[in-house]
Amino acid sequence: MSQQGYVAAPPYSQSQPGIGGFSAGFGPPNSSLHYGHYGDPNSSYSAPQPGVSKSTVPFGSSAPAGPPPPGTHQFSQTNFQNGPSTPGQQPHRFQGPPPPSSTGPSYPPYSHQSQPAYPNTASTSPTAQLANQLNSMQINSYGPGTTPSSRMSSGHPASFQGPQLPLPTQQQIALPPGSQVPPPANNVNGLCAQPSLPPVARQDGIPGPVPPDPNLQQLSGQPPGPGYHPQPANYGPQMAGSQLSYPGAFPGGLAQLPGPQQKKLDPDSIPSPIQVIENDKASRGGQIYATNTRGQVPPLVTTDCVIQDQGHASPRYIRCTTYCFPSSSDMAKQARIPLAAVIQPFAIVPPNETPLYVVNHGETGPIRCNRCKAYMCPFMQFIEGGRRYQCGFCSCINDVPPFFFQHLDHIGRRVDHYERPELSLGSYEYVATLDYCRNNKPPKPPAYIFMIDVSYRNINSGLVKLICDELKTLLDKLPREEQEESSAIRVGFVTYNKVLHFFNVKSSLAQPQMMVVSDVGEVFVPLLDGFLVNFQESRSVVINLLDQIPEMFADTNESETIFAPVIQAGMEALKAAECAGKLFIFHSSLPTAEAPGKLRNRDDKKLLNTDKEKVFSTPTRDCVANGCCVNLFLFPNQYVDVASMGLVTMYTGGTLYKYNNFQLDADSPQFLSDLRKDVEKKTGFDAIMRVRTSTGFRATDFFGAIYMNNTTDVEMAAVDCDKAVTVEFKHDDKLNEDSGALIQCAVLYTSISGQRRLRIHNIGLNCSSQLADVYKTCETDALTNFFAKSAFKAILSQPLKMVREILVNQTAHMLACYRKNCASPSAVSQLILPDAMKVLPVYVNCLLKSCVLVGRPEIPTDERAYHRQLVMSMGVADTQLFFYPRLLPIHSLDLKGDTVPGALRCSEERLSEGGAFLLANGLSMFLWLGVSTPPELIQGLFNVPSFAHISTEATSLPDLDNPFSKKLKSILEHIQSRKPYTMKLIIVKQREQPEMLFRQFLVEDKSIYGGASYVDFLCCVHKEICQLLS
Ligand SMILES: [Zn+2]
């Protein structure tokens, strides 16, 4: 098979004015600069302060020692111990009904089609190439010298070759790749001087109508909507900020050429993330994906399929950056591909997939390797007639406990293989014994404490009443085990401003009782009995309380609040009740009242990411140690120091929600939906996670809403279905290609009913001494997740500029290594991308443009901190959508079918005056309406006669009884359904002010804050690659 992946021809081969400046900033490749080498691994996101300890449980272990004895490999490429070769013929009694086509390996091994390079036949003179790039034809038309076959299409060799044009006369400087290019005038060392603010109002940036886009039609399968008139393209300056740069920006040569005559490179000729998504959907969507093969690359996270566990954890639980690890550390250093797994241990599985089986060995507890403490799993090899087993992780030979003994069949497999989840499945649970519990006592069911800021503003805005009213019905929906009638979770209530009010809601009381704690310096819990109650038993007292709270504080004029003592109070209450739990804190303002954790208005960029944020390290430590998860609902109308306040939330596995300038009418639906989802979420409490690996490599770094007190135990006061931990691995020896790289993730936790359990996820990856094998099995979405989290962690301890440089440098390095070692020989001027990574540059560019990494002074520090914290706990599906939003044309809906229209690339060029487009990134959602949107569509969606009548105030669409409205509503629901945050719908009319906000999400374009366009960034990366290769 050809190793050739994606091939680019001349347009990318040239130095560009501006890009040279960029490269100067990056300098020569520095092999010591890459993620995973971000300084001290314990410096930033590990424990704010050591010293916390959880109860000792037999969870940890010594590191595995010694290489495996020869000749004992469990796996080989052709003989899988692990997957049934004929599952249909085997009793499989714990497995749900087999899906229709489960009589064999249901999914062929994933392989990439070979992608022969398209040789560059056009002129390669540097000047001509630069000229071509700068002066390429109008979109959708081809200049002489280019054949239409070079356009990207599904399943075809991907090649992007710019149209060839006569030389422009104005271009005189064109340097070969790798040479020094004079930086633009305003650059210093490749980085632009601090620019002034871009004008917010846009006078001239409205693009003209866009010609019909064949890509759009092809993807959506729909003709353009009515009122859609093809017109010549007229691309003026894209946005007001398009001429600006900022520190660390990529001053693209293209965008720096002023004037309306500027032309752009055909964006259809560079790798399209949408095309990659659609191709995977077409080839793998709707199928059954069986996890019976080690090192198998799963369908993309954007592809719907049914996953069948046949020995390796479902990709819903674990996704890896590559499914084939390099066999040596030298090879790993050469490629610099991060070796990481994104683990979402409590991910939701759809109803048509089997939930996890629970294994109960009674008092004996789970079976574990004596040496490395790994849990019994499909990677254990039974020997000596079944009396002993060899650990797949450390190779230790263990005796099989008598109760667990079973004979082996003719191929050496236990005859009960398919009857035991722990022998044949990638994921399952164990009931834990008392040894795994705090103080060797069975845990109590968790508790939820609702803590409401009742200061003047919250009372006055109606927020307090809204929360209280909602809780009356919401408390009936507390999560419970399937088999149980009601929830075991107890509830408690606290209100606060400058002081704390605890409420006794014991069922025997006629009226709730309030106890005030005014000594906030030394918070104590004034009552034990009657504070945490079963809602069903205390229903009337609790409802009574919720009715009274808004009235109780109706006349308050207290505007100051406390915060740290609130957390302290909640934590102490859980501690006193000897249970884990969640705090739901509803807070509005900067806690300025005199109390521990008092914050000042320090919206000062210089202070961000410094030790000032350690204010909450003590409460954080205490919360984690006591299994107290902090969920924070913030309603700020000014700076509230999210970086500090959100820390406790982050380290305790909680979720941070933020509603800026909360307006009761407009924002209640979003907030209440978030609250409901969070209260109803299935969650594991008081959790500790351990990742074990087979010999030769180990987990070295962890990213997520977690707390690390040592280098191996990942502590989470709680972990819910949406939280993912990204784990980076490093070699410490050579890996064995036969036995592969095995990973076992074990999460010890307390269930919602108070049962102590272990959730085990196992996955096996391949190893190879061929770099091409590593590149072939990479997953861009998982790589993006890793890069996002490692960069967002790094900014706490390193200058932003350096973090950005490392990202670009590592991207270029990975691609250059592929080019050098895996691709067929070709001209240096060609950009050649591995197929599995061909859209990595666009994602890395999106990441660099995120408000966290863009480093613009006009981005509020609270916003940066908020986004940073959200991303740190995201799984792969969430980061994919967050960094590359979904853009859907909704003017051409298939009103009869239940299909969602095909997505479009996030660029202004995909919009049209006559169209309506929906954009969502998991946090924000926009409905953009072109000025010529057909009146019938407007009528159908808004019940108003024309564009001018549409109100952009609304945050939802009216419920109308017509096909347009119903269809769009169902699409909105579909997009929202799997996302942890509720997206508020923002209606944007073309050429009106809020359009600026919307345009920030068109991530392939140059951004308002100066972030490079995809095209420009690709040029930069190519230049870096050329320098690395030269
Ligand atoms: Zn072992």
Side-chain angles (χ1 to χ4, degrees):
M1 179 192 291
S2 162
Q3 299 305 334
Q4 206 79 336
Y6 206 85
V7 180
Y12 300 101
S13 64
Q14 289 312 302
S15 307
Q16 310 267 328
I19 288 173
F22 173 78
S23 71
F26 288 88
N30 179 347
S31 62
S32 69
L33 280 181
H34 64 100
Y35 288 105
H37 283 257
Y38 262 127
D40 175 9
N42 297 318
S43 63
S44 44
Y45 249 103
S46 52
Q49 191 178 323
V52 63
S53 66
K54 286 214 163 188
S55 55
T56 310
V57 292
F59 198 73
S61 75
S62 55
T72 55
H73 313 308
Q74 189 179 356
F75 289 100
S76 72
Q77 290 285 6
T78 51
N79 176 17
F80 296 103
Q81 181 69 31
N82 204 15
S85 52
T86 52
Q89 297 164 12
Q90 299 285 351
H92 204 182
R93 78 177 181 216
F94 53 83
Q95 187 104 352
S101 62
S102 66
T103 52
S106 336
Y107 202 87
Y110 189 64
S111 67
H112 294 285
Q113 295 188 350
S114 49
Q115 304 269 1
Y118 266 42
N120 165 26
T121 54
S123 157
T124 52
S125 117
T127 316
Q129 289 160 14
L130 180 62
N132 289 338
Q133 187 168 349
L134 296 172
N135 248 351
S136 56
M137 303 282 289
Q138 286 186 357
I139 308 297
N140 299 331
S141 67
Y142 286 87
T146 312
T147 59
S149 67
S150 68
R151 288 180 69 84
M152 245 188 64
S153 63
S154 166
H156 284 81
S159 134
F160 46 106
Q161 175 152 350
Q164 306 294 314
L165 281 183
L167 286 182
T169 51
Q170 73 271 27
Q171 290 304 322
Q172 297 182 2
I173 302 171
L175 299 174
S179 58
Q180 290 300 315
V181 179
N186 62 339
N187 276 6
V188 179
N189 286 332
L191 295 167
C192 300
Q194 193 80 354
S196 56
L197 288 179
V200 176
R202 206 160 45 117
Q203 305 296 324
D204 59 348
I206 306 294
V210 181
D213 175 358
N215 195 32
L216 181 155
Q217 292 173 45
Q218 179 197 339
L219 287 170
S220 66
Q222 294 291 325
Y228 189 92
H229 303 296
Q231 291 180 46
N234 172 24
Y235 299 108
Q238 280 204 324
M239 305 189 67
S242 67
Q243 305 294 320
L244 291 166
S245 296
Y246 61 96
F250 312 102
L254 291 172
Q256 292 216 334
L257 288 182
Q261 73 275 25
Q262 174 190 335
K263 295 294 196 299
K264 291 193 65 182
L265 187 83
D266 181 357
D268 283 341
S269 65
I270 56 177
S272 158
I274 297 302
Q275 195 72 57
V276 168
I277 289 170
E278 293 298 324
N279 288 353
D280 195 69
K281 272 185 187 163
S283 64
R284 311 185 81 177
Q287 302 186 24
I288 292 164
Y289 173 76
T291 64
N292 56 7
T293 308
R294 196 185 76 195
Q296 186 178 224
V297 182
L300 292 182
V301 77
T302 39
T303 299
D304 274 327
C305 56
V306 178
I307 292 158
Q308 205 178 58
D309 186 340
Q310 291 189 9
H312 297 271
S314 158
R316 298 191 200 286
Y317 298 120
I318 304 183
R319 279 186 176 268
C320 298
T321 51
T322 175
Y323 289 80
C324 179
F325 277 9
S327 57
S328 72
S329 75
D330 283 349
M331 217 176 125
K333 279 176 193 149
Q334 196 185 353
R336 274 169 59 176
I337 296 171
L339 307 177
V342 187
I343 305 173
Q344 201 165 340
F346 286 82
I348 295 206
V349 296
N352 58 351
E353 292 176 17
T354 319
L356 296 194
Y357 292 92
V358 181
V359 180
N360 191 343
H361 287 325
E363 286 180 5
T364 323
I367 299 168
R368 309 176 67 174
C369 169
N370 288 328
R371 187 197 285 166
C372 74
K373 304 295 177 195
Y375 295 85
M376 178 55 64
C377 68
F379 304 145
M380 303 301 186
Q381 171 89 30
F382 289 87
I383 54 174
E384 296 179 24
R387 285 186 301 277
R388 307 179 92 184
Y389 69 92
Q390 181 170 34
C391 176
F393 298 94
C394 72
S395 301
C396 174
I397 308 279
N398 296 274
D399 289 334
V400 173
F403 84 92
F404 197 68
F405 174 79
Q406 187 54 266
H407 293 285
L408 307 184
D409 65 13
H410 64 286
I411 56 165
R413 191 161 56 194
R414 283 172 61 120
V415 298
D416 62 349
H417 182 83
Y418 292 108
E419 293 165 31
R420 291 190 178 273
E422 72 273 34
L423 297 182
S424 53
L425 294 182
S427 302
Y428 44 89
E429 290 201 328
Y430 272 117
V431 174
T433 54
L434 288 181
D435 293 342
Y436 296 84
C437 303
R438 245 173 227 276
N439 308 321
N440 286 5
K441 276 165 51 182
K444 292 181 179 168
Y448 287 0
I449 303 178
F450 298 90
M451 314 184 87
I452 308 170
D453 166 359
V454 289
S455 62
Y456 171 79
R457 198 157 71 82
N458 278 3
I459 292 288
N460 197 41
S461 70
L463 180 64
V464 172
K465 185 167 181 353
L466 181 76
I467 295 166
C468 290
D469 283 347
E470 180 65 23
L471 287 178
K472 287 184 219 167
T473 51
L474 189 52
L475 294 178
D476 274 321
K477 294 173 188 154
L478 292 168
R480 57 185 167 83
E481 301 282 359
E482 318 260 290
Q483 70 277 9
E484 287 172 2
E485 266 183 30
S486 63
S487 175
I489 292 171
R490 289 173 295 161
V491 293
F493 304 88
V494 170
T495 57
Y496 65 93
N497 37 44
K498 262 165 78 173
V499 297
L500 289 148
H501 323 102
F502 284 74
F503 294 94
N504 185 344
V505 284
K506 201 174 175 179
S507 61
S508 55
L509 293 174
Q511 283 280 327
Q513 295 170 346
M514 180 164 91
M515 272 153 244
V516 179
V517 174
S518 47
D519 181 5
V520 292
E522 197 96 13
V523 173
F524 67 99
V525 182
L527 77 165
L528 286 180
D529 189 34
F531 178 64
L532 293 177
V533 297
N534 179 304
F535 175 63
Q536 304 302 339
E537 290 167 10
S538 288
R539 176 184 293 270
S540 63
V541 193
V542 170
I543 301 274
N544 193 331
L545 171 68
L546 294 170
D547 281 334
Q548 285 189 37
I549 287 174
E551 293 165 21
M552 231 181 277
F553 301 97
D555 300 325
T556 189
N557 50 15
E558 184 55 70
S559 59
E560 285 197 318
T561 56
I562 51 173
F563 183 65
V566 178
I567 295 173
Q568 185 77 13
M571 188 275 296
E572 294 287 351
L574 292 175
K575 191 175 167 187
E578 297 181 322
C579 68
K582 267 192 209 181
L583 310 183
F584 292 81
I585 303 181
F586 305 93
H587 192 93
S588 288
S589 53
L590 196 69
T592 52
E594 209 48 60
K598 172 183 172 176
L599 293 174
R600 285 189 187 82
N601 193 334
R602 57 171 189 102
D603 193 2
D604 178 349
K605 313 306 176 258
K606 287 184 191 125
L607 288 177
L608 184 71
N609 311 333
T610 65
D611 284 350
K612 302 275 178 196
E613 287 171 13
K614 300 265 167 88
V615 174
F616 291 104
S617 63
T618 306
T620 299
R621 199 182 55 212
D622 293 347
C623 282
V624 175
N626 289 287
C628 172
C629 166
V630 180
N631 272 349
L632 183 55
F633 294 80
L634 278 175
F635 305 87
N637 59 0
Q638 57 183 356
Y639 172 76
V640 291
D641 199 349
V642 170
S644 296
M645 294 184 73
L647 272 191
V648 191
T649 295
M650 167 110 196
Y651 285 122
T652 59
T655 308
L656 176 62
Y657 301 90
K658 189 156 81 74
Y659 311 92
N660 293 343
N661 303 311
F662 183 81
Q663 300 292 321
L664 203 62
D665 291 342
D667 301 314
S668 294
Q670 183 192 15
F671 158 58
L672 293 178
S673 166
D674 282 338
L675 176 60
R676 282 179 212 127
K677 274 198 226 179
D678 203 298
V679 166
E680 294 172 30
K681 249 181 205 178
K682 289 231 169 142
T683 304
F685 295 90
D686 199 9
I688 182 163
M689 181 172 110
R690 184 70 190 260
V691 177
R692 291 183 173 80
T693 55
S694 53
T695 46
F697 75 111
R698 66 197 156 84
T700 54
D701 216 346
F702 300 84
F703 311 90
I706 56 173
Y707 187 91
M708 299 284 289
N709 196 44
N710 56 43
T711 54
T712 52
D713 294 324
V714 181
E715 295 183 53
M716 295 170 280
V719 49
D720 65 45
C721 53
D722 299 310
K723 299 289 185 294
V725 180
T726 301
V727 184
E728 189 181 16
F729 302 99
K730 290 266 162 59
H731 287 74
D732 46 23
D733 203 348
K734 248 183 121 54
L735 299 181
N736 186 312
E737 289 188 46
D738 291 331
S739 50
L742 310 179
I743 299 167
Q744 181 177 76
C745 163
V747 183
L748 175 65
Y749 74 100
T750 301
S751 74
I752 44 175
S753 60
Q755 194 177 41
R756 201 71 176 150
R757 285 192 196 159
L758 278 150
R759 180 170 280 221
I760 315 287
H761 296 299
N762 304 288
I763 190 166
L765 309 176
N766 287 336
C767 302
S768 175
S769 55
Q770 301 300 312
L771 277 171
D773 293 336
V774 180
Y775 279 96
K776 210 158 52 186
T777 58
C778 278
E779 212 203 92
T780 293
D781 296 330
L783 282 168
T784 306
N785 181 282
F786 172 84
F787 282 129
K789 291 191 185 182
S790 52
F792 285 14
K793 176 177 174 175
I795 60 162
L796 296 186
S797 54
Q798 291 185 41
L800 188 61
K801 177 173 168 279
M802 186 187 290
V803 173
R804 295 175 56 88
E805 286 174 2
I806 291 173
L807 264 177
V808 180
N809 187 266
Q810 188 166 357
T811 302
H813 191 102
M814 287 158 59
L815 300 173
C817 176
Y818 172 84
R819 170 65 188 267
K820 190 172 171 189
N821 297 286
C822 308
S824 311
S826 55
V828 173
S829 59
Q830 283 190 319
L831 173 58
I832 300 177
L833 304 173
D835 195 53
M837 273 187 205
K838 68 184 172 197
V839 289
L840 184 65
V842 68
Y843 281 101
V844 171
N845 189 38
C846 294
L847 177 54
L848 289 165
K849 290 157 85 168
S850 71
C851 74
V852 179
L853 293 187
V854 86
R856 288 281 287 213
E858 62 270 44
I859 298 173
T861 41
D862 271 355
E863 216 52 35
R864 287 186 69 202
Y866 178 56
H867 282 224
R868 204 187 126 260
Q869 294 198 6
L870 294 192
V871 169
M872 286 308 289
S873 66
M874 279 185 183
V876 179
D878 290 342
T879 47
Q880 190 279 327
L881 184 65
F882 186 73
F883 290 109
Y884 197 94
R886 197 128 314 149
L887 178 65
L888 303 175
I890 56 152
H891 48 268
S892 53
L893 294 176
D894 169 16
L895 295 175
K896 294 192 185 81
D898 54 2
T899 54
V900 173
L904 303 173
R905 296 174 67 167
C906 293
S907 168
E908 183 174 316
E909 281 151 11
R910 312 291 159 174
L911 306 178
S912 59
E913 282 193 352
F917 298 83
L918 190 68
L919 184 143
N921 76 341
L923 205 58
S924 309
M925 177 139 62
F926 298 88
L927 179 55
W928 182 92
L929 300 154
V931 287
S932 310
T933 306
E936 56 269 33
L937 184 63
I938 291 172
Q939 183 71 45
L941 296 180
F942 298 93
N943 206 20
V944 296
S946 76
F947 184 79
H949 289 82
I950 299 170
S951 161
T952 51
E953 300 292 302
T955 54
S956 63
L957 294 172
D959 281 306
L960 301 172
D961 188 19
N962 70 67
F964 290 117
S965 180
K966 286 181 173 172
K967 179 71 188 182
L968 185 55
K969 286 257 170 184
S970 85
I971 291 173
L972 292 177
E973 239 165 67
H974 178 82
I975 292 175
Q976 185 62 71
S977 62
R978 298 177 207 170
K979 293 293 141 202
Y981 295 91
T982 307
M983 293 172 267
K984 183 171 89 170
L985 184 68
I986 299 168
I987 293 163
V988 176
K989 290 160 85 171
Q990 189 181 5
R991 296 176 198 172
E992 291 191 6
Q993 173 67 23
E995 210 184 8
M996 294 306 289
L997 182 62
F998 168 77
R999 280 167 193 273
Q1000 291 175 36
F1001 295 85
L1002 299 175
V1003 289
E1004 289 200 21
D1005 300 339
K1006 193 171 173 69
S1007 88
I1008 177 179
Y1009 296 122
S1013 72
Y1014 176 22
V1015 170
D1016 290 351
F1017 182 69
L1018 203 55
C1019 292
C1020 296
V1021 169
H1022 186 214
K1023 178 133 196 308
E1024 286 270 305
I1025 293 171
C1026 291
Q1027 285 186 336
L1028 289 167
L1029 292 175
S1030 62

